[in-house]
Amino acid sequence: MPRPIQATIHGEALRHNLARMRAAAPDARVWAVVKANAYGHGIERVFEALRGADGFALLDLLEAERVRALGWRGPILLLEGVFEPRDLELCSRLGLWHAVHCDAQIDWLAAHKTQVPHRVFLKMNSGMNRLGFTPQRLRAAWSRLDALPQVDEISLMTHFSDADGPRGIAHQLHVFEETTRDLPGERSLANSAATLRHAADPQVRGDWIRPGIAVYGSAPDFPEHDIAHWQLQPTMTLASRVIGVQTLQPGDTVGYGSSFTADAPVRIGVVACGYADGYPRHCTTGTPVLVEGVRTRLVGRVSMDMIAVDLTPVPQAGLGSEVTLWGHAGNGAVLPIDEVAKSGGTLGYELMCALALRVPVAVD
Ligand SMILES: *Cc1c(COP(=O)(O)O)cnc(C)c1O
């Protein structure tokens, strides 16, 4: 028997979440963002469930090839554009749309020989200061692109730094609107957080939204809101089993560094899951875990292959009991990945992306 750890990707939940994002911006088209191997879920595993999207957005050219290999003939957008001139050949061959965020990318396009003009998304830096042309330089970039025979349609995009938090998006939206007011072309602005929190404004919805994390059942603004608030469902379950049981007496400790000391007799389940499976090592005593669908807590440190959990709320649990690290338990209980991430000082994004290769993955 293989080690009992297992991840499961939930197709129905992906469909539900995609529909939920579409409903939040009903007049916009939807890029399903599948970068980072579909946020750790596996592009091939999510493809069927997400093929109702209007396009797939990602940033690795190899991932774009994988989406085409699955038979997708619709739009694919490279969110960072190309990395070197010869990437443009692949764009021509596979019909990829690509972001243009710097002058070098325009130079490469100008030198590119192609029969098919490219659809480009001109990226504006409206305050995030990661990629894109500043407001002062955007129009010159637009004019250069407009003059190139290699370029077909020019769309406009920007990205918000604070769509999930108190600073919000108004300052960036204002800069974007001021700069692009009289430029033609489709617009794309909103990630998951902007779509859920700010898309009542049609200018935020634009022509294309770009949700990622919400499609994968994590709340972009946790803990202010959770997935129940946004009506999202977990799309990844990480589950394992109890492979050992210990009974501690007051004063006994668990695991490396003896970071947990029992103050009363307590039954501890040892679970086949550790940081080498992608479980966050920074989670400490108190991190939520489900045993047989009942909420309990991690105790002590996370080791490479094992964690320990408190069996007090589940007296019937023992060797072989189901443990849900995040996602859905067999009895229908849900443990949002965001809660585990918070305990480990990180985000649902990072946990999904860090699911380790050694964990077998099923699709249901
Ligand atoms: C990753 C990414 C998104 C999706 O962001 P989420 O927060 O996961 O919704 C959208 N746009 C760009 C440019 C991105 O890089």
Side-chain angles (χ1 to χ4, degrees):
M1 182 182 157
R3 189 162 166 264
I5 192 163
Q6 167 96 52
T8 307
I9 306 303
H10 307 292
E12 265 317 304
L14 287 161
R15 277 191 195 88
H16 167 91
N17 296 340
L18 183 67
R20 177 71 190 84
M21 298 313 284
R22 202 182 270 295
D27 46 359
R29 274 162 287 161
V30 182
W31 292 112
V33 179
V34 293
K35 66 189 178 188
N37 199 24
Y39 289 51
H41 288 60
I43 287 175
E44 288 75 10
R45 296 188 197 104
V46 302
F47 178 70
E48 268 312 310
L50 298 184
R51 66 183 309 157
D54 299 292
F56 290 94
L58 40 70
L59 24 92
D60 189 317
L61 285 95
L62 292 172
E63 292 189 337
E65 285 188 292
R66 282 163 58 194
V67 174
R68 282 282 180 254
L70 288 164
W72 177 255
R73 301 167 73 112
I76 297 178
L77 175 62
L78 297 176
L79 290 166
E80 295 181 343
V82 297
F83 304 101
E84 57 174 333
R86 65 184 188 138
D87 293 344
L88 290 167
E89 290 161 27
L90 193 77
C91 293
S92 292
R93 185 148 49 81
L94 298 183
L96 308 180
W97 302 2
H98 48 100
V100 171
H101 64 74
C102 66
D103 285 308
Q105 289 179 329
I106 305 182
D107 298 340
W108 301 340
L109 258 173
H112 177 56
K113 295 191 177 33
T114 180
Q115 313 293 331
V116 255
H118 292 195
R119 168 94 181 247
V120 297
F121 276 63
L122 178 59
K123 181 143 187 187
M124 178 177 169
N125 171 11
S126 56
M128 173 97 160
N129 287 310
R130 217 169 49 171
L131 297 180
F133 293 92
T134 56
Q136 296 72 32
R137 297 178 52 228
L138 185 88
R139 305 187 67 92
W142 192 91
S143 301
R144 271 193 83 194
L145 286 171
D146 189 44
L148 291 182
Q150 291 89 341
V151 172
D152 172 23
E153 224 177 300
I154 307 171
S155 304
L156 298 164
M157 70 186 285
T158 197
H159 194 54
F160 298 124
S161 58
D162 290 77
D164 57 333
R167 188 172 183 209
I169 63 170
H171 59 296
Q172 284 187 262
L173 188 62
H174 177 75
V175 170
F176 182 78
E177 289 301 325
E178 285 292 300
T179 312
T180 61
R181 191 183 305 283
D182 54 342
L183 291 176
E186 295 187 335
R187 267 80 169 148
S188 178
L189 299 85
N191 61 357
S192 298
T195 303
L196 290 170
R197 291 169 66 98
H198 304 288
D201 178 346
Q203 297 192 314
V204 176
R205 298 200 290 277
D207 300 287
W208 293 86
I209 58 169
R210 305 189 304 270
I213 195 68
V215 173
Y216 302 99
S218 164
D221 56 355
F222 187 83
E224 184 181 344
H225 298 111
D226 60 12
I227 52 171
H229 174 88
W230 293 123
Q231 298 167 270
L232 300 167
Q233 298 172 3
T235 59
M236 179 193 282
T237 291
L238 181 62
S240 188
R241 294 194 180 278
V242 172
I243 60 166
V245 176
Q246 302 290 342
T247 302
L248 308 190
Q249 299 306 322
D252 289 349
T253 64
V254 177
Y256 288 120
S258 304
S259 73
F260 173 78
T261 306
D263 54 10
V266 55
R267 281 177 79 234
I268 295 296
V270 176
V271 181
C273 176
Y275 61 77
D277 300 299
Y279 193 85
R281 202 189 76 87
H282 289 102
C283 283
T284 50
T285 298
T287 301
V289 180
L290 306 179
V291 175
E292 296 192 345
V294 176
R295 200 176 167 104
T296 179
R297 56 175 184 149
L298 180 90
V299 289
R301 274 200 202 151
V302 174
S303 35
M304 181 185 280
D305 310 305
M306 282 175 269
I307 56 171
V309 299
D310 183 350
L311 297 181
T312 308
V314 232
Q316 75 279 15
L319 217 57
S321 285
E322 172 205 60
V323 179
T324 306
L325 290 319
W326 57 72
H328 299 271
N331 71 351
V334 166
L335 176 56
I337 196 168
D338 299 324
E339 289 191 37
V340 182
K342 178 133 191 3
S343 296
T346 182
L347 303 173
Y349 292 81
E350 191 180 7
L351 297 200
M352 294 173 185
C353 293
L355 183 72
L357 265 178
R358 78 173 186 183
V359 177
V361 186
V363 180
D364 76 2

